[in-house]
């Protein structure tokens, strides 16, 4: 296709050449509003970089901005295709008119006491490469893609309404397939809801690319804090457990996300202790002693110990080595006859210091005899060969000889060949006539041996098996550990899985001072006059930036403006008094009065009471009390149930109800069950009542005794 004498792909290249690079944005000169908090920076950012497509005018409470990026020099369809383009949608949600006023993420991360913000900004990259604000939407009846100009679906004849389009947009805000979905409240507190890299369907962007972009964007916009719920998976495994064992923190910790809040009242110290306890479990606890038959787990541990040039002592060593093999196999392995092979530096002759040459030759000769006994073209597995000669030498010497067996020549001229089985990936050996490449002299410090390694697919399969056998709390196998040590390992694994909330603090106040050192920077707290203590609301301090010659009157004006803009319940807020500085003339300069003070408190009032109760807290207007035996005092996102007598909430797990069981129709907590008032009232009016984890059958139930 040619447009104006030019091929269409040439035209596309010319258009995308002016786009910012997703992998480097923001670069120098891309600043939005230097030295400004999020409430100001986000408006400047959208004004400078985004466009507002015409369909957005249909829903002023859901304005959808678009920003296009090129992805480095990548092309969509081969080297001659059009440049790869990523669309970032920014949905500006008017919370007062939204279908969902309150924020579930704020509730579980500990920010439920914050007032409801006036705006939420959703930053979304769709998995299909499209845009929420585009001109095509899905039919609510059959899912057929329609243009906005079409009033009726051609497939199911359904009439498209404005409500249908609005439903589609809200559905996009709940879609779990997005490559990126982050939401930031007007006060600068945000949540990273979704990151899906290549395993999640991304064609061009890895998870690291997306996280790098998100982190740079948050810094650019002056975001204060971002929380996330780490339920990420890699290779089908809980990555927060696997990564904590190998790195000591979550995967998101590479970008500065730290422990935020643990479920079941877990603390940072408990998290750190669990990491250390589980990761330092000795591998000897999993290896049998005596004459018991070896298991697959023990064979795998021994196999990878033999492959590693460094001694693998504990769980962390083993999983770090296995993850490095998977990474190398994925990045730099070469394909030889369909088998993944790579070169590892061979350790010098010092590796033989514990064994003599005659020891090695004795073991090799024993292995030759086993291989000679195999007839025809059959192969002998690594496990079978090792088991056949297990009494000849120590396990360490056997593993060393197996590692170096390929290419060894027997006295009758046969040569040992080795391969990875194409299906199972297991190492196999056999004797062959002819010349198999012989390993170079191991005494040379610069020599390298070609060692056959399992394929990436087989390495991942081994990783899953080892994860299930050594890390997952329900399937941990500790053959030689005492029962207390086994219980401690299981408890540690459960704790790591229960720690999902992580938070990054961007330290906005420090960033603002660096970017605008001449201005006056104040963290301002507000206090409402005539506010009863039982409904008192104290929002987080807002960052106020003033000119060097600003007065107290200017300060009050900026404080009023900031809180009116950020919070719905402060829409008519007026700052009246600077606490601790009563009677000061409003013409007094701030720098002369406050000096180096960085935190101020301002008292004021809201003119009118509209919205005070509804928008007072992100947790909503309902009141609840959490008092669980684990120590939890607030909602942490885990499953809970309330006592039917006192109404106090607690975790179902802590009440003895497994996660796979349903919640009982009637539940009475242990404290109420022991109360004389409750006992006097009787518990037998229902067919079945659960007291803690004990089921009690009533007299009317006719069900016998529990």
């Amino acid at each position: 296709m040619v447009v104006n004498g030019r091929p269409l792909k040439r035209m596309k290249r010319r258009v995308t050449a002016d786009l910012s690079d997703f992998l480097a944005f923001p670069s120098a000169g891309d600043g939005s509003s230097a030295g400004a908090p999020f409430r100001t920076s986000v408006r400047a950012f959208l004004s400078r970089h985004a466009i507002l497509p015409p369909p957005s005018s249909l829903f002023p409470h859901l304005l959808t901005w678009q920003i296009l990026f090129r992805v480095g020099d990548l092309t969509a369809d081969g080297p001659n295709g059009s440049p790869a383009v990523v669309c970032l949608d920014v949905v500006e949600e008017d919370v007062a008119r939204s279908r969902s006023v309150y924020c579930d993420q704020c509730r579980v991360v500990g920010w439920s006491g914050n007032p409801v913000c006036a705006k939420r900004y959703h930053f979304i990259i769709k998995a299909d490469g499209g845009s929420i604000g585009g001109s095509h939407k899905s039919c609510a009846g059959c899912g057929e893609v329609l243009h906005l100009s079409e009033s009726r679906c051609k497939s199911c004849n359904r009439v498209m309404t404005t409500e249908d389009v609005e439903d589609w947009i809200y559905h996009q805000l709940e879609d779990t397939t997005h490559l990126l979905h982050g939401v930031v409240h007007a006060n600068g507190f945000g949540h990273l809801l979704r990151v899906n890299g290549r395993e999640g369907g991304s064609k061009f962007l890895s998870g690291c690319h997306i996280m790098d972009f998100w982190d740079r964007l948050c810094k650019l916009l002056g975001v204060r804090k971002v929380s996330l719920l780490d339920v990420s998976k890699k290779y089908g495994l809980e990555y927060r457990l696997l990564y904590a064992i190998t790195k000591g923190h979550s995967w998101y910790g590479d970008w500065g996300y730290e422990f935020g809040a643990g479920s079941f009242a877990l603390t940072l110290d408990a998290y750190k202790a669990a990491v250390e306890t589980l990761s330092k479990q000795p591998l000897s606890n999993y290896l049998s002693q005596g004459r018991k038959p070896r298991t697959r787990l023990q064979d795998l541990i021994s196999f990878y110990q033999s492959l590693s040039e460094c001694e693998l002592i504990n769980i962390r060593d083993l999983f770090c080595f296995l993850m490095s093999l998977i990474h190398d196999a994925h990045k730099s392995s070469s394909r030889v006859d369909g088998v993944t092979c790579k070169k590892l530096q061979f350790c010098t002759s010092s590796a033989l210091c514990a064994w003599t040459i005659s020891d090695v030759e004795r073991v090799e000769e024993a292995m030759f005899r086993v291989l000679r006994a195999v007839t025809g073209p059959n192969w002998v597995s690594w496990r079978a060969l090792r088991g056949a000669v297990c009494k000849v030498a120590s396990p360490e010497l056997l593993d060393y000889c197996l590692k170096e067996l390929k290419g060894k020549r027997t006295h009758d001229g046969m040569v040992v060949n080795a391969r990875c089985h194409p299906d199972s990936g297991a190492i196999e050996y056999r004797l062959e006539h002819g010349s198999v490449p012989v390993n170079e002299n191991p005494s040379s410090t610069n020599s390298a041996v070609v060692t056959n390694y399992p394929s990436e697919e087989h390495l991942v399969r081994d990783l899953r098996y080892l994860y299930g056998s050594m890390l997952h709390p329900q399937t941990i196998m500790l053959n030689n550990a005492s029962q207390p040590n086994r219980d401690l390992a299981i408890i540690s694994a459960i704790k790591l899985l229960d720690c999902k909330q992580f938070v990054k603090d961007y330290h906005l106040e420090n960033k603002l001072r660096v970017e605008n050192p001449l201005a006056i920077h104040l963290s301002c707290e507000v206090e409402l006059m005539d506010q009863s203590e039982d409904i008192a609301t104290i929002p987080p301090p807002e960052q106020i930036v003033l000119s060097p010659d600003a007065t107290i009157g200017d300060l009050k004006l900026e404080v009023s403006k900031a809180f009116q803009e950020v919070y719905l319940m402060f829409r008519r807020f007026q700052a009246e008094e600077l606490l601790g500085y009563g009677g000061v003339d409003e013409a007094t300069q701030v720098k002369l009065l406050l000096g180096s003070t960085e935190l101020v408190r301002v008292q004021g009032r809201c003119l009118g009471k509209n919205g005070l109760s509804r928008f007072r807290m992100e947790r909503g207007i309902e009141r609840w009390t959490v008092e669980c035996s684990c120590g939890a005092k607030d909602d942490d996102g885990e499953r809970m149930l309330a006592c039917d007598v006192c109404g106090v909430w607690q975790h179902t797990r802590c009440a003895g109800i497994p996660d796979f069981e349903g919640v009982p129709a009637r539940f009475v907590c242990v404290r109420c069950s022991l109360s004389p008032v409750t006992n006097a009232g009787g518990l037998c009016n229902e067919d079945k009542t659960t007291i803690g984890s004990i089921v009690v059958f009533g007299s009317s139930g006719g069900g016998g005794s529990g």
Side-chain angles (χ1 to χ4, degrees), residues 71-122:
V71 185
D73 297 325
L74 293 179
T75 55
D77 301 304
N80 297 321
S82 58
V85 175
V86 170
C87 179
L88 173 68
D89 289 318
V90 183
V91 180
E92 183 179 345
E93 182 182 7
D94 185 345
V95 178
R97 301 169 61 185
S98 173
R99 296 179 181 179
S100 178
V101 172
Y102 307 113
C103 178
D104 292 336
Q105 288 74 34
C106 281
R107 189 183 74 248
V108 300
V109 80
W111 302 340
S112 62
N114 291 355
V116 177
C117 289
K119 294 288 183 72
R120 285 195 290 254
Y121 295 86
H122 298 261

Side-chain angles (χ1 to χ4, degrees), residues 655 666-670 673-674 683 689-696:
R666 177 171 170 80
F667 174 80
V668 178
C669 67
V670 174
S673 69
L674 300 177
L683 292 173
T689 298
T690 299
I691 302 176
S693 59
I694 303 173
V695 178
V696 178

Side-chain angles (χ1 to χ4, degrees), residues 260-334:
S263 300
F264 305 99
L266 291 173
T267 63
L268 175 60
D269 289 339
Y271 176 79
K272 291 181 176 178
V275 170
E276 289 301 303
T277 298
L278 190 56
S279 62
K280 291 187 177 180
Q281 284 286 319
L283 295 180
S284 58
N285 286 345
Y286 301 86
L287 299 175
S288 63
Q289 295 176 351
R291 298 185 178 182
K292 295 180 180 179
R294 290 178 63 86
T295 64
R296 179 187 176 190
L297 173 62
Q298 294 159 353
D299 282 341
L300 281 178
I301 293 174
S302 298
F303 173 64
Y304 286 106
Q305 283 179 325
S306 70
L307 291 185
S308 176
E309 296 179 14
C310 300
E311 187 177 6
L312 305 183
I313 299 175
N314 53 41
I315 285 182
R316 173 170 290 172
D317 296 339
L318 175 63
F319 280 91
C320 283
F321 178 63
L322 186 52
M323 291 294 287
S324 69
L325 290 181
I326 294 174
H327 179 270
D328 291 343
H330 181 73
K331 293 293 184 181
S332 59
S333 63
S334 60

Side-chain angles (χ1 to χ4, degrees), residues 520 546-552 554-555 587-591:
I520 298 174
L546 301 170
S547 62
D549 57 351
T551 64
I552 298 299
D554 297 330
L555 171 60
T588 304
Q589 288 192 351
V590 173
K591 64 181 179 181

Side-chain angles (χ1 to χ4, degrees), residues 55-66:
S56 294
S57 60
L58 295 174
F59 309 103
H61 59 292
L62 289 171
L63 293 178
T64 303
W65 305 78
Q66 292 179 2

Side-chain angles (χ1 to χ4, degrees), residues 6-16 80 82-83:
R6 292 194 182 100
L8 185 59
K9 62 181 181 181
R10 285 282 304 275
M11 182 177 179
K12 288 184 178 179
R13 285 181 178 175
R14 182 169 59 86
V15 172
T16 56
N80 297 321
S82 58

